[in-house]
Amino acid sequence: MSVKDCKIIELPKISDPRGNLTFVEGGQHIPFDIKRVYYLYDVPGGAERGAHGHKKLQQLIIAMSGSFDVVLDDGFEKKSFHMNRSYYGLYVSPMMWRDITNVSSGAVCMVLASDYYHEADYYRDYNAFLCDSRGVNK
Ligand code: TYD
């Protein structure tokens, strides 16, 4: 997998004077079925989240409120995405190291995930990730 497989997906947006509505359908707008949703919130200024990779998990990251940067790294190349609209989702493929930085005050980062939480799917050590990704991300 390469950072080139990771991209911003523009989600449907139903504009309405009463407020906008966006929806996400697993397998329709994103290339996986959604098994889990989690979100980061009340992130203190200066804190960084992420700093891990996943072996098989696919994810869609959405800034539900506020803004933050997601830096993706496939072991060869890094790419940064500024997230600040709730109708944009960042598709993150498997075998991607990711950092979430510059989280604005009040930001909510929602993640739609292709599988349940399995600690065995994580890379917590960057060097272990690099070692495997340089074998896989060809
Ligand atoms: P983690 O994914 O390490 O967050 P970050 O990399 O952003 O700091 O998760 C933090 C803790 O929460 C860790 O102990 C695992 C736990 N956790 C769950 O139990 N279920 C989940 O779905 C997630 C995402 C994390």
Side-chain angles (χ1 to χ4, degrees), residues 36-40 48-54 57 59 98 100 111 113 115-119 122-124:
R36 176 168 53 113
V37 178
Y38 66 92
Y39 31 96
L40 301 168
E48 297 200 352
R49 299 296 309 229
H52 64 246
H54 285 284
L57 194 71
Q59 299 169 92
R98 67 162 168 88
I100 299 178
V111 183
D115 206 350
Y116 302 127
Y117 170 77
H118 297 299
E119 185 59 35
Y122 276 75
Y123 286 101
R124 299 281 186 190

Side-chain angles (χ1 to χ4, degrees), residues 30-62:
I30 54 176
F32 58 86
D33 287 331
I34 301 160
K35 269 200 171 174
R36 176 168 53 113
V37 178
Y38 66 92
Y39 31 96
L40 301 168
Y41 53 98
D42 292 345
V43 177
E48 297 200 352
R49 299 296 309 229
H52 64 246
H54 285 284
K55 296 171 186 168
K56 295 198 175 139
L57 194 71
Q58 301 178 74
Q59 299 169 92
L60 188 83
I61 302 180
I62 303 173

Side-chain angles (χ1 to χ4, degrees), residues 15-89:
S15 299
D16 191 301
R18 298 170 301 157
N20 301 328
L21 183 152
T22 285
F23 56 97
V24 189
E25 294 180 347
Q28 300 286 342
H29 305 111
I30 54 176
F32 58 86
D33 287 331
I34 301 160
K35 269 200 171 174
R36 176 168 53 113
V37 178
Y38 66 92
Y39 31 96
L40 301 168
Y41 53 98
D42 292 345
V43 177
E48 297 200 352
R49 299 296 309 229
H52 64 246
H54 285 284
K55 296 171 186 168
K56 295 198 175 139
L57 194 71
Q58 301 178 74
Q59 299 169 92
L60 188 83
I61 302 180
I62 303 173
M64 299 303 282
S65 178
S67 66
F68 48 82
D69 294 328
V70 182
V71 184
L72 299 181
D73 174 352
D74 62 16
F76 293 96
E77 198 183 335
K78 287 188 190 185
K79 197 166 169 192
S80 177
F81 298 84
H82 183 62
M83 306 300 297
N84 64 354
R85 292 281 180 267
S86 34
Y87 54 88
Y88 283 144

Side-chain angles (χ1 to χ4, degrees), residues 86-107:
S86 34
Y87 54 88
Y88 283 144
L90 173 62
Y91 171 73
V92 182
S93 71
M95 291 305 291
M96 224 35 72
W97 187 268
R98 67 162 168 88
D99 287 305
I100 299 178
T101 60
N102 296 325
V103 182
S104 73
S105 111

